[in-house]
C-alpha cells in the first residue's frame, strides 16, 4: 500500500484546504491511515513558498494550496514546477471564474471568510441574547448587556432590541410599570449604556388602543386610558432621573432612526 504526504499551504489558517483534502482522502480505503497531512499557515512571503516547495521535493509530497493573492499562487506554481512536484490550486480557478462573471477584481485579502464567520456568530449570539433578556424576563442580563433599553409598554423596546442585535449589540430591555419596582441592576450599571425611550401620551394612547383591538379586546381598557399613561410616564421620569441615563423621544422616530441615535452615542 502506497503512502502519501500532503502539504496544505495557506495565507490564512488553511482549514478550508485541509477539510477538502481530508474529504478527498476519505474516499480511499485506509486513506486517513496512509496519508500524512502537514499544514503551513499564514504564508505571506515568497521565500516561504520556495522553502515549502524544497521540503515537498525532499518528502515527495503533494502540495495543495489556498492562496488568495494571485502573485503568490503564480509563485508557488513556478516553485513546484521547478522542483518537479505536483500541486493543486483549490482557490484560484474559482476566484478567477467568479471575477470574470462579476466583472470585479478580487480583494485578495487573506482571512476574510473567517472574519465573515465570526461576524455571523456574533450576530446570532446577540439575537439570542435579546430574546433571552426581552421584557425584563431576567434582570441578570442587565449587567451583561452592551445596551439596556427602558420605557413604558409599547415604546418599541423589543423591535429596537432585535434591530440592534442584528448590529451585533447584546441588548436587554426592561418595561417600567408604577406597580412594580425596577430591578436593582438598573441602578448599578454604567448609565451611558442605558437608554430611556419616551413617547408622547397622545401617540401612546393611539398605539395602545390599536393593540387592544388587534387582541380582540375593548379599546377603552385602563391600559389605554390617557390618565393611566400619564401616570406611567411620571413613574418613568422618576426612574430615569435616578439612573441618569440618556432619554430618546421615539414619538416620531422609526426603529432604525432610534438605533442610529443609540449607536452614534455609543461610538462617541
Amino acid at each position: 500500500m502506497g503512502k502519501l504526504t500532503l502539504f496544505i499551504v495557506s495565507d490564512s489558517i488553511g482549514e478550508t484546504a485541509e477539510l477538502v483534502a481530508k474529504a478527498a482522502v476519505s474516499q480511499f480505503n485506509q486513506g486517513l491511515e496512509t496519508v500524512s497531512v502537514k499544514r503551513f499557515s499564514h504564508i505571506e512571503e515568497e521565500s516561504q513558498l520556495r522553502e515549502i516547495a524544497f521540503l515537498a521535493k525532499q518528502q515527495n509530497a503533494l502540495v495543495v494550496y489556498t492562496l488568495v493573492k494571485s502573485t503568490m499562487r503564480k509563485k508557488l506554481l513556478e516553485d513546484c514546477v521547478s522542483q518537479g512536484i505536483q500541486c493543486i490550486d483549490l482557490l484560484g480557478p474559482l476566484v478567477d471564474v467568479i471575477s470574470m462573471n462579476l466583472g470585479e477584481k478580487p480583494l485578495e485579502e487573506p482571512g476574510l471568510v473567517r472574519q465573515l464567520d465570526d461576524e455571523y456568530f456574533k450576530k446570532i449570539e446577540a439575537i439570542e441574547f435579546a430574546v433571552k433578556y426581552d421584557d425584563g424576563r431576567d434582570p441578570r442580563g442587565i449587567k451583561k448587556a452592551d445596551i439596556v433599553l427602558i420605557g413604558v409598554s409599547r415604546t418599541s423596546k423589543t423591535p429596537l432590541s432585535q434591530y440592534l442585535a442584528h448590529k451585533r449589540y447584546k441588548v436587554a430591555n426592561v418595561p417600567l410599570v408604577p406597580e412594580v419596582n425596577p430591578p436593582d441592576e438598573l441602578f448599578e450599571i454604567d448609565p451611558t449604556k442605558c437608554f430611556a425611550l419616551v413617547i408622547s401620551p397622545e401617540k401612546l394612547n393611539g398605539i395602545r388602543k390599536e393593540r387592544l383591538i388587534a387582541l380582540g379586546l375593548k379599546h377603552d381598557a385602563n391600559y389605554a386610558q390617557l390618565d393611566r399613561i400619564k401616570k406611567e410616564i411620571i413613574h418613568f421620569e422618576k426612574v430615569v432621573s435616578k439612573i441618569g441615563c440618556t432619554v430618546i423621544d421615539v414619538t416620531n422616530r422609526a426603529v432604525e432612526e432610534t438605533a442610529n441615535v443609540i449607536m452614534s452615542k455609543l461610538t462617541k
Side-chain angles (χ1 to χ4, degrees), residues 147-175:
I147 298 170
V148 178
L149 304 176
I150 61 173
V152 301
S153 175
R154 311 310 296 175
T155 48
S156 300
K157 295 185 298 300
T158 296
L160 181 56
S161 295
Q162 285 295 322
Y163 185 90
L164 289 166
H166 278 79
K167 301 295 182 180
R168 297 176 296 283
Y169 289 99
K170 293 180 180 179
V171 186
N173 75 77
V174 181

